[in-house]
Amino acid sequence: MRSFEEDLQAAAAYHGHLCTGMFLGVRMARYGLKLLGIDDPFTFKDLIVFVEIDRCASDAVCVVTGCTLGRKRLKLVNYGKMAATFVNLATQQAVRISPNGYINMPEGVEPKEFWSSFSDEELFIARKVSVNFLPRDLPGRPQSNVQCSLCGEKVLDGREVEKDGVLLCLACASEPYYKEIES
């Protein structure tokens, strides 16, 4: 396992700067790995991590654990909370870690010095949890591959819906997050 400094440098290089989210994300990921007994996350292929925010800490968790969206080992469930759940698929053990909400960094304090002054147990709340997975949510080859009847795009892993007897992607079945414009 890399040292804390190495993880922090790698996270900062990936993210582009050091901030409170980087310090907490690196510490959170290292604590989660420690609690699950994972020494080298880059060779351990049975780790899945759920992050609950699309901010700095999630980049740090990704870098420290080696879990990515593309490998289906990083999952975003955006609750807007700086929290993450670490799951060992081999043992079915899982732990959800969130910062102790009563610790706030005062203005004008150097972040690294401040966040380093707490033990993991003081800084975080760790709870044993269980996580249920559908086969389509696990790493590996796609479980299914269908074509949307309306737009023609491929839909993987059972993310399609049936509406009026036809298979549709989620965007065609409801309101997509994007709106097409004329060129």
Side-chain angles (χ1 to χ4, degrees):
M1 185 181 241
R2 295 186 298 210
S3 70
F4 173 76
E5 285 298 325
E6 290 170 323
D7 279 341
L8 192 59
Q9 288 174 4
Y14 178 80
H15 185 68
H17 67 271
L18 276 179
C19 60
T20 290
M22 288 284 100
F23 290 105
L24 291 176
V26 167
R27 296 262 325 256
M28 187 183 315
R30 291 175 62 85
Y31 190 36
L33 294 170
K34 176 183 162 188
L35 292 175
L36 292 179
I38 299 170
D39 295 324
D40 184 2
F42 298 101
T43 60
F44 187 79
K45 301 302 179 201
D46 285 328
L47 176 65
I48 291 182
V49 179
F50 290 80
V51 290
E52 298 182 18
I53 194 166
D54 58 352
R55 297 231 172 240
C56 306
S58 293
D59 281 351
V61 169
C62 171
V63 170
V64 172
T65 63
C67 293
T68 63
L69 289 170
R71 291 189 201 129
K72 292 185 77 175
R73 292 179 55 221
L74 182 69
K75 311 289 186 181
L76 173 62
V77 183
N78 198 350
Y79 293 156
K81 294 178 167 186
M82 190 181 292
T85 298
F86 302 83
V87 182
N88 180 334
L89 292 174
T91 64
Q92 294 301 306
Q93 290 180 301
V95 61
R96 182 178 181 274
I97 299 175
S98 60
N100 179 342
Y102 296 103
I103 299 175
N104 295 302
M105 188 175 76
E107 290 291 323
V109 175
E110 200 276 314
K112 183 177 180 183
E113 186 177 309
F114 179 78
W115 295 116
S116 297
S117 69
F118 297 96
S119 69
D120 289 336
E121 294 76 16
E122 293 171 315
L123 190 55
F124 298 110
I125 298 166
R127 293 183 177 96
K128 289 182 180 180
V129 297
S130 66
V131 179
N132 294 319
F133 289 96
L134 296 172
R136 70 182 186 196
D137 295 325
L138 294 171
R141 300 180 75 69
Q143 298 292 309
S144 66
N145 179 343
V146 301
Q147 188 170 8
C148 176
S149 296
L150 191 58
C151 71
E153 293 180 5
K154 297 286 184 185
V155 182
L156 302 179
D157 293 324
R159 301 292 196 252
E160 74 278 356
V161 295
E162 186 177 332
K163 192 172 185 179
D164 299 326
V166 295
L167 295 177
L168 301 172
C169 67
L170 292 172
C172 289
S174 63
E175 187 75 24
Y177 72 91
Y178 57 89
K179 186 173 181 90
E180 287 190 40
I181 56 175
E182 297 291 324
S183 302

